[in-house]
């Protein structure tokens, strides 16, 4: 046997305990002891009646312990590790697998209580994860080099979700994301979150990676990020690739997002004020962005190198103002641009190394770019060249003025059976009051 995929873990970085049990199997018949700061029961006299059954004279096991995780921390003949209590008969607990040599006495361990991190303890949480499990992280002071090594599966990913006061209270409530857990590395070397090679199939929600000496979220390319932020990290905010919704990367020493051959597939991202580019692929990766903003980066808003391709729908590249900064810089002309705004950039709105026919660009707006709207790039028959009239550009509100409303690609499908209307830009109208703004919602 092994730890159940249904176990839910609790991490409280400031108030948890390194060697707490920290987990409970969802739906088990016992009482969840993991959702508290302190260890519920500390054992010093564990006895292995058999290799998988334990007793304690000082703290006898009971029916309410079923489903909780027991962290065995030591004792001659005991195997240190995290074990699920699968049943209790009278005062004898049966755990999910062999815990040592039958007949061993004097074992130590803890049941219940939240763990203080992923990488701390006699046995670490990160080494004990199982595909399908979920980890909740409470919003408390946190500074940890999280190195994830265990893989989920495509059908049973490992989920890590931040919360503020109660589990689920940040679940796509952007107005509350100022209360996300922040892993503040305080300029320590290395990454804030490092997904080792092979640590695939994660869902990461509502976490902030801050001030790592290297990368904020360094992932193998298939983790799904929802409502996460990478800020003020020494190199890139996100790397190697990204799949995500409503994430932010800002003030990083490199790019907001950087990859080589891995793809970016992103909805509603806000990539701004990075020392490098907002988003880049350095070799052959494909970039797919929609309803995203690339703003005030010291280099290009988006750069696609090598044989990489770009699809950008309803995006904004604004104010990327380095002397050689473009809204989009691309080498290989494999590009689809629709309903985008390229404004106030330091050189071109879109700059292609060579002209080519394998591209589609229409219903875009070019305004205020220092050198020209385009270089080696075609003009779309429905392009515009007007001031977007952003509501509050300086403070991240990219809701547009009236000039670009209802001018986006109308969505007439080939059969002509349905027609829709979009504004040009990342932020659509909010009728009847208007205002708001995607960038403003996901920022901060």
């Amino acid at each position: 046997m092994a730890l159940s995929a249904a176990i839910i873990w609790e991490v409280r970085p400031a108030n948890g305990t390194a060697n707490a049990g920290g987990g409970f199997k969802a739906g088990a018949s016992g009482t969840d002891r993991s959702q508290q700061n302190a260890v519920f029961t500390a054992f010093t006299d564990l006895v292995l009646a058999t290799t998988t059954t334990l007793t304690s004279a000082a703290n006898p096991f009971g029916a309410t312990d079923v489903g909780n995780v027991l962290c065995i921390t030591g004792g001659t003949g005991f195997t240190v590790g995290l074990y699920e209590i699968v049943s209790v008969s009278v005062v004898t607990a049966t755990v999910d697998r062999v815990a040592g040599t039958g007949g061993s006495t004097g074992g130590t361990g803890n049941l219940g209580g939240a763990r203080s991190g992923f990488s701390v303890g006699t046995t670490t949480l990160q080494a004990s994860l199982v595909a399908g499990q979920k980890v909740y992280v409470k919003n408390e002071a946190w500074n940890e080099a999280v190195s994830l090594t265990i893989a989920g599966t495509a059908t049973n990913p490992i989920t890590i979700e931040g919360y503020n006061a109660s589990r689920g209270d940040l679940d796509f409530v952007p107005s509350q994301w100022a209360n996300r857990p922040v892993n503040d590395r305080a300029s320590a070397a290395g990454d804030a979150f490092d997904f080792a090679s092979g640590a695939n199939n994660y869902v990461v929600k509502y976490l902030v990676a801050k001030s790592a000496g290297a990368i904020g979220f360094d992932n193998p390319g298939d983790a799904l990020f929802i409502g996460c932020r990478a800020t003020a990290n020494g190199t890139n905010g996100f790397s190697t690739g990204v799949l995500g919704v409503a994430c932010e990367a800002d003030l990083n020493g490199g790019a907001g997002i950087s990859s080589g051959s891995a793809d970016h597939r992103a909805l509603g991202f806000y990539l701004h004020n990075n020392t490098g580019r907002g988003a880049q692929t350095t070799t052959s990766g494909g970039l797919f962005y929609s309803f995203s903003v690339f703003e005030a980066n010291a280099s290009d808003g988006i750069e696609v190198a090598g044989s990489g391709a770009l699809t950008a729908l309803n995006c904004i590249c604004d104010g990327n103002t380095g002397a050689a900064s473009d809204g989009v810089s691309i080498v290989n002309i494999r590009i689809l641009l629709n309903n985008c705004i390229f404004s106030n950039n330091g050189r071109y709105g879109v700059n292609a190394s060579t002209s080519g026919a394998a591209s589609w660009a229409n219903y875009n707006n070019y305004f205020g770019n220092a050198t020209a709207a385009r270089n080696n790039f075609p003009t779309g028959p429905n392009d515009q060249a007007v001031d977007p009239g952003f509501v509050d550009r300086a403070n991240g509100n990219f809701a547009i003025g009236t000039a670009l409303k209802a001018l986006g690609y109308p969505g007439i499908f080939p059969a002509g059976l349905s027609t829709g209307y979009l504004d040009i830009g990342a932020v659509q109208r909010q009728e009847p009051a208007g205002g708001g703004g995607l960038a403003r919602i996901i920022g901060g």
Side-chain angles (χ1 to χ4, degrees), residues 146-201:
V146 178
S147 179
L148 298 163
T149 58
I150 304 298
T153 68
T155 54
N156 286 292
I158 295 171
T159 300
I160 303 173
E161 180 174 335
Y163 74 93
N164 183 35
S166 60
R167 290 177 173 180
D169 61 4
L170 301 179
D171 199 6
F172 226 87
V173 187
S175 62
Q176 296 297 315
W177 289 355
N179 299 315
R180 289 171 290 191
V182 179
N183 186 7
D184 187 346
R185 297 290 291 129
S187 299
D191 305 329
F193 297 90
D194 179 21
F195 296 76
S197 177
N200 301 321
N201 297 301

Side-chain angles (χ1 to χ4, degrees), residues 3 98 114 153 261 268 288 444:
L3 288 173
V98 171
T153 68
S261 59
F288 306 86

Side-chain angles (χ1 to χ4, degrees), residues 29-331:
S29 61
T31 302
D32 185 355
R33 306 299 189 186
S34 67
Q35 295 187 62
Q36 61 183 61
N37 291 340
V39 167
F40 183 75
T41 305
F43 296 95
T44 59
D45 66 339
L46 289 171
V47 175
L48 272 169
T50 68
T51 58
T52 59
T53 58
L54 298 108
T55 61
S56 167
N59 295 285
F61 290 98
T64 58
D65 296 328
V66 174
N68 283 281
V69 173
L70 171 67
C71 178
I72 296 179
T73 57
T76 301
F78 288 80
T79 302
V80 168
L82 294 167
Y83 299 87
E84 176 193 344
I85 298 175
V86 296
S87 65
V88 174
S89 177
V90 189
V91 294
T92 300
T94 298
V95 292
D96 64 280
R97 63 197 188 280
V98 171
T101 303
S104 299
T105 62
T108 60
N110 298 304
L111 183 149
R115 293 185 68 90
S116 58
F118 289 80
S119 308
V120 297
T122 305
T123 87
T124 64
L125 174 57
Q126 66 192 27
S128 303
L129 293 172
V130 171
Q133 291 181 342
K134 187 165 189 175
V135 183
Y136 280 102
V137 182
K138 191 173 183 180
N139 180 21
E140 297 180 349
W142 187 14
N143 182 345
E144 180 185 12
V146 178
S147 179
L148 298 163
T149 58
I150 304 298
T153 68
T155 54
N156 286 292
I158 295 171
T159 300
I160 303 173
E161 180 174 335
Y163 74 93
N164 183 35
S166 60
R167 290 177 173 180
D169 61 4
L170 301 179
D171 199 6
F172 226 87
V173 187
S175 62
Q176 296 297 315
W177 289 355
N179 299 315
R180 289 171 290 191
V182 179
N183 186 7
D184 187 346
R185 297 290 291 129
S187 299
D191 305 329
F193 297 90
D194 179 21
F195 296 76
S197 177
N200 301 321
N201 297 301
Y202 278 76
V203 178
V204 184
K205 306 170 72 174
Y206 320 121
L207 297 180
V208 178
K210 180 180 180 181
S211 298
I215 299 167
F217 295 96
D218 190 1
N219 79 93
D222 71 349
L224 168 61
F225 295 95
I226 301 172
C228 292
R229 182 184 182 190
T231 182
N233 296 290
T235 57
N236 303 317
F238 292 83
S239 182
T240 300
V242 67
L243 168 67
V245 179
C247 292
E248 181 178 11
D250 64 303
L251 303 173
N252 296 290
I257 302 175
S258 179
S259 69
S261 59
D263 293 342
H264 304 189
R265 292 159 287 171
L267 167 65
F269 271 45
Y270 186 26
L271 309 177
H272 63 103
N273 296 98
N274 296 290
T275 300
R277 297 169 174 87
Q280 67 178 20
T281 177
T282 58
T283 55
S284 59
L287 275 63
F288 306 86
Y289 283 92
S290 58
F291 297 98
S292 296
V293 176
F294 307 79
E295 181 232 352
N297 298 289
S299 189
D300 305 313
I302 304 172
E303 189 223 28
V304 186
S307 60
L310 170 66
T311 297
L313 307 175
N314 286 92
C315 290
I316 295 172
C317 292
D318 178 82
N320 302 289
T321 53
S325 294
D326 306 310
V328 170
S329 175
I330 189 165
V331 173

Side-chain angles (χ1 to χ4, degrees), residues 320-382:
N320 302 289
T321 53
S325 294
D326 306 310
V328 170
S329 175
I330 189 165
V331 173
N332 185 41
I333 308 301
R334 299 169 60 206
I335 185 168
L336 297 175
L337 299 179
N338 210 79
N339 296 353
C340 294
I341 298 173
F342 305 97
S343 53
N344 306 306
N345 295 294
R347 191 167 56 179
Y348 297 100
V350 177
N351 181 22
S353 296
T354 57
S355 59
S359 62
W360 163 265
N362 201 358
Y363 296 93
N364 299 302
N365 183 65
Y366 300 82
F367 177 81
N369 298 292
T371 301
R374 311 162 189 80
N375 182 46
N376 291 324
F377 198 71
T379 300
N382 300 99

